[in-house]
């Protein structure tokens, strides 16, 4: 009986954080100062999204914890220590396909995670990295939307120019004001999207072992000093979709053998 159960349970352990990895979406060389943030205005917001297929084409094929994002500074002149204060960046799952005339307003904060709040200094040309105050796990089975709010209250010119990729659909919306934060009314939609880099930040991968105990299997791994917990995802297929099974602080988890084949994905979560 034990042998039969063992044959019916397939465990595949994979790691998303083998080392620091950068996943880049967009390769356009044009520059804009509207999105993700416009330093020529005192206040403003923008929203933009990346589809599931774009995430997967960039190499994010399994749930991935990011600890940094980067935007690409362009323009014809160097940008040196351009400071913007009181910046907030949110991210959340997104299943839409385009911004339409009915979705041009501020998106609100439901189902979004505040991943950064504070000052940002831009230098360029090149990638300008932002270390997230709250790491975020991207699930490539859906797209992601980023909301960027500028509440600096001052402006300075010349404002940063950000490289973008042209699109055949409306993938970004922005709204700016010199008088107050414009959280009501519609923004302007554009068929562009900022080039972006999602980065893992470099957690080491735990060494995983699987041992059988009766009709169960014990999944165990080495502790990572910089990890605060470990998330285990499960799927019926090796390609996903992946669902979170549990998150634990320890380094051992017991799996009960079942008739249906299962695949498991283990990920270290940074502090």
């Amino acid at each position: 009986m034990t042998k039969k159960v063992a044959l019916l349970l397939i465990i595949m352990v994979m790691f998303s954080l083998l080392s620091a990895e950068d996943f880049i979406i967009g390769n356009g060389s044009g520059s804009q100062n509207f999105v993700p943030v416009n330093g020529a205005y005192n206040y403003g917001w923008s929203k933009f999204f990346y589809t599931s297929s774009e995430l997967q084409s960039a190499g994010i094929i399994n749930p991935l914890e990011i600890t940094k994002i980067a935007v690409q500074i362009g323009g014809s002149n160097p940008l040196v220590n351009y400071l913007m204060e009181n910046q907030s960046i949110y991210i959340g799952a997104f299943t839409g396909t385009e911004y339409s005339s009915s979705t041009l307003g501020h998106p609100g904060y439901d189902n979004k995670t505040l991943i950064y709040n504070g000052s940002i200094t831009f230098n360029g040309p090149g990638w300008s990295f932002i270390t997230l105050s709250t790491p975020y796990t991207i699930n490539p089975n859906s797209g992601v939307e980023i909301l960027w709010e500028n509440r600096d209250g001052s402006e300075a010119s010349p404002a940063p120019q950000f490289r973008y990729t042209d699109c055949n659909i409306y993938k970004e919306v922005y709204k700016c004001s010199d008088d107050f934060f414009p959280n009501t009314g519609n923004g302007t939609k554009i068929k562009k999207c900022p080039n972006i880099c999602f980065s893992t930040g470099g957690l080491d991968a735990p060494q995983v072992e699987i041992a059988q105990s009766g009709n169960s299997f014990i999944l165990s791994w080495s502790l990572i000093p910089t990890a605060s917990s470990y998330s285990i995802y499960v799927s019926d297929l090796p390609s996903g979709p992946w669902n979170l099974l549990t998150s634990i602080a320890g380094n051992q988890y017991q799996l009960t053998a079942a008739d249906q084949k299962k695949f498991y994905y283990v990920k270290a979560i940074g502090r």
Side-chain angles (χ1 to χ4, degrees):
M1 179 64 180
T2 301
K3 291 183 179 179
K4 181 179 179 181
V5 172
L7 290 173
L8 290 172
L9 177 67
I10 295 181
I11 299 176
M12 178 177 288
V13 179
M14 297 176 287
F15 311 101
S16 65
L17 304 178
L18 296 176
S19 60
E21 291 183 282
D22 296 334
F23 301 87
I24 295 174
I25 300 176
N27 57 9
S29 58
S31 297
Q32 63 173 344
N33 65 345
F34 303 114
V35 180
V37 61
N38 193 338
Y41 283 86
N42 295 341
Y43 306 96
W45 59 264
S46 75
K47 61 180 181 180
F48 46 98
F49 70 90
Y50 303 93
T51 64
S52 173
S53 61
E54 287 177 318
L55 294 172
Q56 295 181 31
S57 294
I60 305 176
I61 58 174
N62 295 302
L64 178 81
E65 183 189 66
I66 59 170
T67 59
K68 297 179 181 181
I69 63 171
V71 290
Q72 194 173 19
I73 303 298
S76 57
N77 298 314
L79 189 68
V80 180
N81 294 332
Y82 188 99
L83 175 65
M84 295 192 71
E85 297 181 316
N86 205 3
Q87 304 295 298
S88 299
I89 306 173
Y90 300 80
I91 190 170
F94 187 77
T95 58
T97 57
E98 183 176 18
Y99 291 125
S100 66
S101 58
S102 62
T103 58
L104 299 183
H106 187 286
Y109 309 105
D110 290 344
N111 301 316
K112 284 188 171 55
T113 300
L114 177 63
I115 56 174
Y116 185 82
N117 179 252
S119 300
I120 299 176
T121 299
F122 294 108
N123 288 282
W127 289 103
S128 186
F129 279 86
I130 301 165
T131 299
L132 307 184
S133 52
T134 303
Y136 181 81
T137 298
I138 293 177
N139 188 334
N141 296 314
S142 68
V144 294
E145 181 182 53
I146 294 176
L147 167 64
W148 190 309
E149 294 185 339
N150 169 29
R151 299 176 186 266
D152 184 291
S154 64
E155 56 85 17
S157 295
Q161 298 280 324
F162 300 95
R163 289 189 176 176
Y164 65 85
T165 298
D166 285 311
C167 310
N168 57 9
I169 58 174
Y170 293 102
K171 290 191 62 185
E172 63 179 37
V173 178
Y174 71 91
K175 189 170 186 179
C176 302
S177 172
D178 277 330
D179 300 320
F180 52 85
F181 183 78
N183 59 344
T184 59
N186 288 339
T188 301
K189 61 180 178 178
I190 305 179
K191 291 182 177 179
K192 300 175 181 178
C193 200
N195 298 347
I196 198 165
C197 176
F198 297 112
S199 179
T200 65
L203 284 182
D204 294 327
Q207 300 298 312
V208 178
E209 295 181 353
I210 302 171
Q212 185 177 345
S213 177
N215 289 343
S216 299
F217 289 84
I218 305 298
L219 188 64
S220 60
W221 52 87
S222 58
L223 292 172
I224 303 300
T226 54
S228 61
S229 63
Y230 304 86
S231 294
I232 302 173
Y233 292 81
V234 61
S235 174
D236 294 329
L237 299 171
S239 59
W242 296 93
N243 297 306
L244 179 64
L245 177 65
T246 187
S247 293
I248 61 175
N251 64 327
Q252 190 175 90
Y253 187 75
Q254 181 172 313
L255 301 166
T256 301
D259 290 341
Q260 187 177 8
K261 295 179 181 179
K262 294 289 183 182
F263 296 82
Y264 294 88
Y265 174 90
V266 178
K267 179 177 62 177
I269 306 298
R271 296 182 187 278

